[in-house]
Amino acid sequence: MRYLIINQNQTDIYLRYIDIQSIMEISGQEKKKNTYDAIVVGSGISGGWAAKELTEKGLKVLLVDRGRNIEHVKDYETALKHPWQFRHRGRITHEQRENHPYLSRDYPYSEENESFWFNDADSPYEEKKRFDWYRPNIVGGKSVMWGRQSYRLADLDFEANAKDGIAVDWPIRYKDLASWYDYVEQFAGISGSIDNIEHLPDGKFLPPMKLNCAEEYVKEGIESRYKNRKLLIGRVANLSVAHNGRGQCQNRSLCHRGCPFGAYFSTLSSTLPAAVNTGNLTLRPNSVVSSVIYDEKLDKAIGIKVIDTISKEEIEFYARIIFLNASTLGTTQILLNSISNRFPNGLGNSSGQLGHNLMDHQFRVGAKGTVEGMDDKYYYGRRPTGIYVPRFVNIGSDKRPYQRGFGFQGGASRLNWARGVAELGMGADFKDELTQPGPWQMGLSGFGECLPYYENKVSLNKQKLDKWGIPTLIIDCEFKENENMMRGDMKNEAAEMLEAAGVKNVHTYDNGSFPGMAIHEMGTARMGKDPKTSVLNAYNQMHDVKNVFVTDGSCMTSAACQNPSLTYMALTARACDYAVKEMNKLNL
Amino acid sequence: MQRREAIEKVLGLLGIAVSGSTLSVIVSSCENPQQGASSLEKYHSVSQIQAKAIAKAADIIIPRTSTPGALDTDTPNFIIMIVNECFSPVEKKRFYAGLSQMNKLFYTETGKYFLENDNEKSLELMLLLEKEAKNYNNTNEEKSEHFFIKKIKELTLLGYFTSEIGASKVLKYAPIPGVFRPCVKREPNEVSYY
């Protein structure tokens, strides 16, 4: 990789790379060398896109991330390890659990990618009610460990708040975003099928992954018995064919360790190399942003305050525009901590909405059962996606006693040796049985929309500072009546559909779902038409501070029930296009 | 001397390293192994007898047949390591207390301690204990022997099937499948992929 990485002890290298001609004239040599056209805070899914788009449009961009630097392929240290090469075979140690009190409550934090995650103890947060906050600690952020499911939102989603009279209306509709979905999909590489579903629009897809025999059987069963329900292969940011110089998926399904073939979309495999190729990018890892600097006379943001996570030195960087992509709660934390006379409650917070309307998806509920008569069938390889059943409730004539809806994810597989843990048995016969593939099991697991509630919120705890002296967050968020009613329906519908499709031994489960667990947190700096009731406008631009853009999950006005990352990508590319046009018009 | 060996076995399973002189004191003064249990937390290392018992349990759960067993895959040491490094101190204590409790149940049932029973009888009693653990309905407090039997089985399966021999010789292992074939014919008795 050719990009420049700077640390304070590398300023000599760093100076050589700065194109002095492009630097805005802010007085003083120190300011000059720390001045860029644009700053992007956070290098995850949306920040990587912002860096790519802005550098490709010719801006000199500083990309900062609180995490340590890791390089694509080279630093995926566990990617090619065999199961037996993990000392704890994937488990985390008691000591790691002690240092990661929040992360260690669920499976994404494991020995297989332990070093990608943030040390909770460095910046603890207060939970009024349980909230699972998954923080990465690497360049690339959660784009390295994400689930890669990629679905478009539709007007069913963009119109929902207005139709239901809930929260505020989205300031955009599907037509505003459609071409940007096209654009990001073609670069990222999303595999999927063309299904002609109005509320789950088709995209510019690579060839779809394939359903296995049991999934084909269940698909046939569901689609023949329900007129408006479909079972699709998951649309996923894994390459079914080589794409844009990246390798085809090898069906290892070890994506969360980082892919040595670059076969799934991440900042590191895709957007960062593109940004680097422009020669316009400066990357600064180990840099946590404490606040955005607002100049009252100019009535705009002029830069950011960064704390070097290693030296703890505070450094200021300046730019004409600032993109905040520090993750939903990360961005919100920075804005709440950016205090001025004009904005005593957080930058761009004249609406009072900043930090409110926190959402996530609810999940971990559904049903499973066995598919019989296929004992002589098996599969080869580990496909890195499951199936998807698009939303079918509260659409057209379907009416439920709750608002919005859910989709199902899941799939079929033959149970492996691990089934033996729950089964009774020990000894020679038991062992032999476990070496054979077990029954085919088919599961459907709901992902449900959560409404935006003003009282689901985060705030700053100025009494409790983190390792770098930054106020920590207090999170107060819960699922409510609408979510609970939907949850029961998710469970029942899953079971009914499986039974209708001929699946046997169907049983339901509800493993409980706390906000944050789906890692789809969003909504704390929402978009809207009215500056009095929203933080961002239709272009993700702050109503109050025009040269600040927020394009991570915090911008979301409602949650829909689809996995949101693809929408963040499209919104980011669109906002970058708008920002640069505004700069060229000298509006910014 | 038989009685002395028996006490040695009990104490060993409690995690107490025994010297000849302390043993005589205990033999003469203590008929109640509970007194030993209270001092368990002081001992972090696993006694040789505990290690032997863990190896025997793993061997019973996954024995050597026409294919390798738990003892061929270093699974006993893996179990001891996981209990040491991944269990909380409370879980670790409960695990070894459960082993000791199972040992007592064996004695009550057969008049012989766990290590003295043959593998056939041991399998029978371990299966009974597993069943009892599954059907035990008191959610307030799990019995330590139930915790032990569940964990030793889980860790034996984990250690065995994720070992190099288990994953790649007993099962089939495709580290880089390359392609995904969604529906292939399976031959009778064809082993599964890891």
Side-chain angles (χ1 to χ4, degrees):
Chain A
M1 301 287 278
R2 298 190 292 111
Y3 58 87
L4 175 65
I5 296 161
I6 55 164
N7 284 314
Q8 78 282 355
N9 58 353
Q10 289 179 300
T11 43
D12 54 329
I13 309 169
Y14 150 60
L15 278 170
R16 274 191 278 127
Y17 277 72
I18 298 295
D19 177 359
I20 299 292
Q21 297 307 312
S22 75
I23 291 176
M24 268 179 65
E25 279 302 325
I26 296 178
S27 62
Q29 200 58 30
E30 187 65 20
K31 276 194 170 177
K32 243 183 201 176
K33 93 175 178 192
N34 283 2
T35 300
Y36 298 81
D37 297 327
I39 291 169
V40 177
V41 179
S43 62
I45 286 206
S46 65
W49 268 101
K52 170 186 179 295
E53 295 302 300
L54 296 174
T55 54
E56 286 182 346
K57 291 173 193 299
L59 303 194
K60 297 288 177 190
V61 174
L62 173 69
L63 175 61
V64 298
D65 198 287
R66 78 180 302 159
R68 68 189 171 94
N69 190 49
I70 69 168
E71 279 186 43
H72 183 47
V73 183
K74 174 180 145 299
D75 291 328
Y76 301 148
E77 288 171 359
T78 62
L80 292 170
K81 277 192 174 183
H82 302 299
W84 54 89
Q85 292 173 322
F86 291 94
R87 180 174 171 86
H88 305 101
R89 309 284 163 86
R91 298 190 171 203
I92 56 167
T93 64
H94 176 64
E95 192 186 339
Q96 286 164 343
R97 207 175 299 126
E98 295 275 288
N99 288 330
H100 301 77
Y102 314 110
L103 280 173
S104 63
R105 294 189 294 210
D106 201 15
Y107 76 89
Y109 173 66
S110 94
E111 186 182 30
E112 295 187 22
N113 62 11
E114 201 277 335
S115 70
F116 293 168
W117 295 100
F118 186 71
N119 191 347
D120 282 330
D122 286 346
S123 184
Y125 59 95
E126 185 184 333
E127 306 168 282
K128 291 290 183 191
K129 295 146 196 133
R130 176 169 165 178
F131 187 97
D132 293 64
W133 187 12
Y134 282 84
R135 288 175 288 183
N137 196 32
I138 48 172
V139 167
K142 297 194 294 290
S143 80
V144 180
M145 313 77 125
W146 71 307
R148 309 169 311 286
Q149 294 292 304
S150 300
Y151 302 98
R152 293 185 177 201
L153 269 56
D155 277 335
L156 178 69
D157 308 304
F158 291 115
E159 291 171 355
N161 279 2
K163 282 189 173 169
D164 298 340
I166 285 174
V168 297
D169 188 13
W170 277 87
I172 56 170
R173 290 294 180 264
Y174 179 65
K175 66 174 168 45
D176 299 310
L177 211 50
S179 66
W180 294 104
Y181 277 126
D182 289 354
Y183 176 73
V184 297
E185 284 165 350
Q186 284 169 312
F187 178 78
I190 312 293
S191 68
S193 53
I194 299 299
D195 301 291
N196 298 306
I197 301 165
E198 198 190 341
H199 60 278
L200 193 78
D202 293 324
K204 301 287 185 190
F205 295 143
L206 303 179
M209 305 265 171
K210 294 187 178 80
L211 298 174
N212 64 36
C213 350
E215 291 161 347
E216 287 284 5
Y217 171 81
V218 175
K219 174 186 172 73
E220 168 76 32
I222 289 175
E223 294 181 0
S224 66
R225 281 163 187 80
Y226 298 93
K227 215 172 127 195
N228 295 318
R229 302 190 192 183
K230 287 196 171 190
L231 185 151
L232 335 169
I233 186 69
R235 297 174 179 175
V236 69
N238 286 70
L239 304 182
S240 50
V241 291
H243 183 68
N244 284 347
R246 292 158 44 210
Q248 183 181 337
C249 175
Q250 298 298 304
N251 292 287
R252 297 165 3 111
S253 201
L254 298 175
C255 315
H256 56 286
R257 304 180 188 175
C259 182
F261 308 96
Y264 71 89
F265 172 88
S266 70
T267 296
L268 301 186
S269 71
S270 308
T271 46
L272 186 60
V276 166
N277 276 341
T278 63
N280 289 329
L281 185 76
T282 304
L283 172 67
R284 194 179 204 288
N286 304 316
S287 303
V288 62
V289 174
S290 61
S291 62
V292 175
I293 309 164
Y294 171 75
D295 185 307
E296 308 221 0
K297 286 196 199 95
L298 298 171
D299 188 27
K300 63 182 185 181
I302 57 166
I304 56 169
K305 278 192 177 137
V306 156
I307 298 166
D308 187 299
T309 57
I310 294 163
S311 71
K312 296 193 179 172
E313 180 191 5
E314 189 179 280
I315 312 159
E316 296 187 355
F317 293 96
Y318 308 98
R320 277 175 73 186
I321 59 168
I322 295 163
F323 268 69
L324 293 178
N325 301 86
S327 84
T328 292
L329 297 185
T331 288
T332 305
Q333 187 172 15
I334 291 167
L335 288 171
L336 287 171
N337 197 39
S338 304
I339 302 301
S340 57
N341 289 330
R342 164 92 169 81
F343 296 110
N345 301 313
L347 188 72
N349 191 20
S350 64
S351 67
Q353 294 293 330
L354 183 66
H356 292 270
N357 315 300
L358 176 58
M359 300 172 279
D360 186 26
H361 289 132
Q362 56 162 336
F363 68 135
R364 290 161 50 98
V365 62
K368 48 184 138 180
T370 52
V371 177
E372 295 178 352
M374 289 189 181
D375 224 31
D376 60 339
K377 299 285 199 305
Y378 203 15
Y379 41 78
Y380 174 78
R382 295 177 296 277
R383 189 189 60 196
T385 185
I387 58 92
Y388 193 67
V389 175
R391 177 175 156 185
F392 52 84
V393 299
N394 287 327
I395 292 177
S397 58
D398 185 283
K399 292 277 181 274
R400 309 273 160 157
Y402 53 86
Q403 282 163 314
R404 313 295 166 90
F406 55 87
F408 284 119
Q409 303 188 19
S413 60
R414 298 200 67 159
L415 295 178
N416 67 6
W417 58 267
R419 69 186 184 277
V421 174
E423 283 173 13
L424 288 174
M426 299 172 182
D429 293 346
F430 182 69
K431 170 185 141 188
D432 287 344
E433 194 229 311
L434 290 184
T435 62
Q436 308 277 310
W440 281 95
Q441 187 178 74
M442 174 77 201
L444 293 177
S445 189
F447 274 72
E449 179 164 358
C450 160
L451 295 175
Y453 302 101
Y454 179 80
E455 60 272 29
N456 278 347
K457 66 175 194 290
V458 296
S459 52
L460 283 190
N461 186 348
K462 290 180 182 162
Q463 270 66 56
K464 186 160 187 182
L465 306 182
D466 71 10
K467 187 178 169 183
W468 301 280
I470 298 171
T472 53
L473 279 189
I474 300 168
I475 306 178
D476 185 357
C477 185
E478 64 180 1
F479 294 131
K480 297 178 191 286
E481 184 58 23
N482 195 64
E483 289 73 40
N484 293 338
M485 273 166 75
M486 182 191 295
R487 195 167 182 81
D489 205 29
M490 288 155 84
K491 188 163 72 176
N492 292 339
E493 286 289 354
E496 268 181 36
M497 284 166 69
L498 289 177
E499 271 172 0
V503 176
K504 308 293 182 205
N505 308 310
V506 174
H507 63 275
T508 60
Y509 62 88
D510 183 345
N511 295 331
S513 184
F514 295 93
M517 281 186 113
I519 324 185
H520 296 164
E521 65 275 20
M522 49 186 135
T524 43
R526 71 183 177 197
M527 296 167 74
K529 293 169 182 164
D530 186 350
K532 290 193 193 71
T533 56
S534 59
V535 180
L536 307 170
N537 70 13
Y539 291 97
N540 297 73
Q541 180 181 31
M542 284 198 131
H543 289 301
D544 292 341
V545 189
K546 297 291 184 199
N547 67 334
V548 175
F549 292 81
V550 177
T551 67
D552 58 26
S554 55
C555 75
M556 299 291 278
T557 313
S558 71
C561 65
Q562 298 90 318
N563 305 56
S565 297
L566 183 71
T567 299
Y568 305 161
M569 296 189 212
L571 287 170
T572 303
R574 180 170 174 270
C576 289
D577 182 69
Y578 174 81
V580 172
K581 281 178 181 159
E582 287 293 291
M583 286 172 90
N584 291 340
K585 287 185 209 160
L586 301 179
N587 289 339
L588 290 177
Chain B
M1 198 58 195
Q2 254 184 1
R3 176 179 158 81
R4 182 190 170 90
E5 275 174 8
I7 285 172
E8 225 171 2
K9 286 198 169 93
V10 172
L11 293 175
L13 288 170
L14 290 171
I16 297 166
V18 188
S19 71
S21 58
T22 56
L23 183 64
S24 59
V25 175
I26 293 167
V27 168
S28 58
S29 69
C30 167
E31 294 293 328
N32 180 6
Q34 290 299 329
Q35 281 187 10
S38 64
S39 60
L40 176 68
E41 61 203 307
K42 281 190 271 181
Y43 295 86
H44 298 293
S45 63
V46 176
S47 74
Q48 275 191 357
I49 292 177
Q50 283 173 323
K52 269 190 197 167
I54 285 167
K56 178 174 170 175
D59 184 36
I60 285 164
I61 294 164
I62 299 287
R64 187 180 297 152
T65 55
S66 58
T67 56
L71 298 186
D72 301 308
T73 57
D74 207 28
T75 294
N77 283 329
F78 169 78
I79 294 168
I80 290 165
M81 183 276 294
I82 289 285
V83 171
N84 266 331
E85 297 182 12
C86 296
F87 281 28
S88 70
V90 171
E91 291 168 328
K92 183 179 168 184
K93 189 175 165 183
R94 195 186 313 161
F95 181 83
Y96 286 110
L99 172 56
S100 150
Q101 201 58 33
M102 184 180 86
N103 193 38
K104 276 201 247 166
L105 289 174
F106 266 77
Y107 190 80
T108 311
E109 199 64 33
T110 65
K112 288 189 282 186
Y113 289 106
F114 177 56
L115 283 169
E116 297 164 335
N117 272 280
D118 63 27
N119 280 12
E120 200 182 334
K121 187 70 188 169
S122 301
L123 172 62
E124 185 193 320
L125 291 182
M126 281 172 67
L127 282 169
L128 273 176
L129 183 59
E130 188 192 26
K131 206 169 181 177
E132 185 189 299
K134 185 154 254 185
N135 297 330
Y136 189 69
N137 269 334
N138 188 341
T139 46
N140 293 334
E141 202 181 343
E142 186 181 31
K143 289 187 173 182
S144 64
E145 63 270 34
H146 293 167
F147 179 77
F148 172 79
I149 198 80
K150 285 181 194 166
K151 288 295 169 191
I152 189 86
K153 179 173 156 183
E154 177 189 328
L155 293 178
T156 301
L157 297 189
L158 178 70
Y160 176 73
F161 283 112
T162 61
S163 69
E164 182 166 9
I165 288 172
S168 69
K169 306 288 195 298
V170 179
L171 303 177
K172 288 191 286 186
Y173 177 55
I176 306 177
V179 295
F180 177 68
R181 296 195 188 96
C183 200
V184 297
K185 186 160 169 44
R186 175 180 172 254
E187 301 305 325
N189 295 321
E190 185 184 333
V191 297
S192 66
Y193 281 96
Y194 168 76

